[in-house]
Amino acid sequence: MSRYRDAGLFLALAAAWGTAFVAIKAGLGTPTAPAGFFETPVLFAALRFDLAGLLMLGYAAVVASDPIPRGRRAWAAVGVGAVLIIAGYHALLFVGETDPAVTSAAAAVIVSLNPVLTTGFSRLLLPEESLGLVGAGGLLVGLLGAVVLANPDPSALLSGGAVAKGLVFAAVTAFALGSVVTERLDAGVEIETVEAWSMVLGAALLHLAAVGLGESPGDVRWTATALGALGFLAVVASAGGFLIYFTLLDRLGSVEINLVSYVVPPFAAVTGWLLLGETPTVATWAGFGLVVVGFGLLKRRVLRAEVKRLRGRGVGPGD
């Protein structure tokens, strides 16, 4: 039952974070339609985690046995989450995505490097987590699926916006490193407590960065779309999404949970089709297929054991 529960949570996380890309684009606006937070992307991220942090502090106060981190390792885990996973990742990502040269296709390819980076960091910091030759092949097939799904224009991917694309890559690197370091710390603190305080401190860091960049609330265009995007990102993608993320990080490990980056693009594609009228292409379905094959190779042992268990139940006595 726990396997099915984790699979359900994994898909819920992919759905929350996949649809978040649409919300981010809507909230930021564009140079030609600068509604929302286009001129204040870091402040956008900060306000998102102000709201999410308050929600999670309240939630932790209710469900956690101790809603306050205790000891150096606990605060170290909170610090890693605040600096790398909350502030570092989102500041760099939001600023990078304001550049018109960073198309959704280019961003999808860069973000899909998350599992590869996580695997590299885990080999350095968590040497017991090894994928093996077939698993590494599955990782590459999944990455290829993400590339095909994004269907990028090579000239657009490799030219223009080099600084902005570098920021997106730096964002994913920070997230991958933060995941592995958090796992290695193994602080023994309840997930709700770590998440709540990481968001609160991360939001504070984002506000400091926004001030340093000269961003002001007075520059925000408070449209209905901007407010809706902010609310969705704070409640669904941040409070809900990161609660699932840290839960699965504790259960599955950093390498497996960051494979969610391969499942996010399909949800983003479906959301774009439903909300923005973007019709899925042949590349979309080909990408889905490669992602499925990649997951099959990576999780072959678990899938094989599950098939045997189900077959055993089908022919066993008493069923």
Side-chain angles (χ1 to χ4, degrees), residues 92-120:
L92 294 167
L93 177 65
F94 278 45
V95 173
E97 286 200 35
T98 59
D99 192 318
V102 180
T103 64
S104 58
V109 172
I110 297 169
V111 171
S112 293
L113 291 172
N114 187 11
V116 178
L117 293 169
T118 302
T119 302

Side-chain angles (χ1 to χ4, degrees), residues 33 167 200:
L167 290 175
V200 170

Side-chain angles (χ1 to χ4, degrees), residues 185-253:
L185 284 172
D186 191 20
V189 185
E190 290 170 283
I191 294 164
E192 298 83 4
T193 300
V194 172
E195 179 182 353
W197 286 97
S198 294
M199 286 184 174
V200 170
L201 295 181
L205 292 173
L206 286 166
H207 276 292
L208 289 175
V211 171
L213 293 171
E215 297 183 3
S216 169
D219 297 326
V220 177
R221 298 172 185 264
W222 297 100
T223 63
T225 298
L227 290 172
L230 179 61
F232 178 87
L233 290 170
V235 177
V236 178
S238 298
F242 275 97
L243 179 60
I244 297 174
Y245 176 81
F246 282 113
T247 298
L248 293 180
L249 177 63
D250 184 57
R251 292 179 187 169
L252 304 178

Side-chain angles (χ1 to χ4, degrees), residues 20-236:
F21 278 100
V22 177
I24 291 172
K25 287 294 184 183
L28 286 174
T30 65
T32 56
F37 295 89
F38 180 77
E39 297 178 357
T40 57
V42 178
L43 179 61
F44 186 15
L47 293 173
R48 166 184 178 176
F49 287 103
D50 283 339
L51 298 175
L54 289 175
L55 287 173
M56 285 309 303
L57 278 178
Y59 182 71
V62 173
V63 303
S65 59
D66 188 356
I68 299 177
R70 309 287 180 181
R72 291 183 179 179
R73 292 183 74 85
W75 281 108
V78 169
V80 169
V83 173
L84 295 176
I85 296 177
I86 302 299
Y89 173 72
H90 290 91
L92 294 167
L93 177 65
F94 278 45
V95 173
E97 286 200 35
T98 59
D99 192 318
V102 180
T103 64
S104 58
V109 172
I110 297 169
V111 171
S112 293
L113 291 172
N114 187 11
V116 178
L117 293 169
T118 302
T119 302
F121 286 129
S122 69
R123 289 293 184 89
L124 295 174
L125 302 176
L126 301 168
E128 68 276 7
E129 290 202 17
S130 176
L131 290 175
L133 183 61
V134 177
L139 196 69
L140 293 176
V141 171
L143 177 60
L144 177 61
V147 173
V148 172
L149 179 65
N151 194 23
D153 177 359
S155 62
L157 183 64
L158 299 176
S159 64
V163 173
K165 291 169 186 174
L167 290 175
V168 176
F169 178 78
V172 179
T173 303
F175 195 100
L177 179 60
S179 300
V180 175
V181 174
T182 298
E183 183 182 358
R184 176 163 182 167
L185 284 172
D186 191 20
V189 185
E190 290 170 283
I191 294 164
E192 298 83 4
T193 300
V194 172
E195 179 182 353
W197 286 97
S198 294
M199 286 184 174
V200 170
L201 295 181
L205 292 173
L206 286 166
H207 276 292
L208 289 175
V211 171
L213 293 171
E215 297 183 3
S216 169
D219 297 326
V220 177
R221 298 172 185 264
W222 297 100
T223 63
T225 298
L227 290 172
L230 179 61
F232 178 87
L233 290 170
V235 177
V236 178

